[in-house]
Amino acid sequence: MNPMLNINFMEWDGLTRIVFTRKNKTLSALFKSKATLEILAKNHMIYCSLNDTMVDEGFDIKTKIQEILEECNLCETRSRTMTNDQLLKLLERFNAHGIHFTS
């Protein structure tokens, strides 16, 4: 029997909505859209505000997302080929870097 994972299902929903909007695009392309970047930047600001953390002066959400995708080796991966484990790892890495999919 597998243990229950500690997942925020609102975050999971937010990530999967972004990832599967266009399942044949690469993750890198999906996360470069203007609307996605604006939402994630806003969520990051809210997260930092709620946790009394300062946002770095030169913080660039686009660069941070690209770093996370490279860290997970998922830049050129297409949504339709991803496993659940890859999606969970991606969500965990985004959250570890303070990027959340809910506000």
Side-chain angles (χ1 to χ4, degrees):
M1 186 173 244
N2 292 332
M4 188 72 163
L5 296 174
N6 185 17
I7 300 172
N8 179 336
F9 288 104
M10 296 296 287
E11 295 249 10
W12 176 259
D13 182 55
L15 173 65
T16 56
R17 283 176 189 261
I18 291 170
V19 169
F20 291 105
T21 54
R22 302 286 303 252
K23 64 184 178 186
N24 287 324
K25 280 191 162 191
T26 62
L27 291 183
S28 185
L30 288 168
F31 281 100
K32 286 180 183 173
S33 81
K34 186 177 178 180
T36 300
L37 290 172
E38 287 174 358
I39 290 169
L40 293 178
K42 184 185 97 184
N43 288 350
H44 180 70
M45 298 294 182
I46 292 170
Y47 173 79
C48 289
S49 174
L50 292 173
N51 291 300
D52 294 326
T53 345
M54 295 296 293
V55 178
D56 294 334
E57 210 170 288
F59 180 76
D60 180 28
I61 191 77
K62 190 174 187 177
T63 305
K64 181 55 87 176
I65 290 171
Q66 192 63 32
E67 289 172 6
I68 294 168
L69 291 174
E70 288 171 2
E71 182 181 317
C72 295
N73 296 320
L74 294 173
C75 286
E76 298 304 315
T77 303
R78 297 183 188 281
S79 307
R80 62 186 163 85
T81 64
M82 291 182 74
T83 64
N84 283 338
D85 290 336
Q86 288 175 316
L87 284 166
L88 287 170
K89 179 181 176 185
L90 185 61
L91 179 62
E92 187 272 327
R93 294 313 313 149
F94 272 117
N95 287 341
H97 286 278
I99 297 176
H100 295 271
F101 296 90
T102 59
S103 50

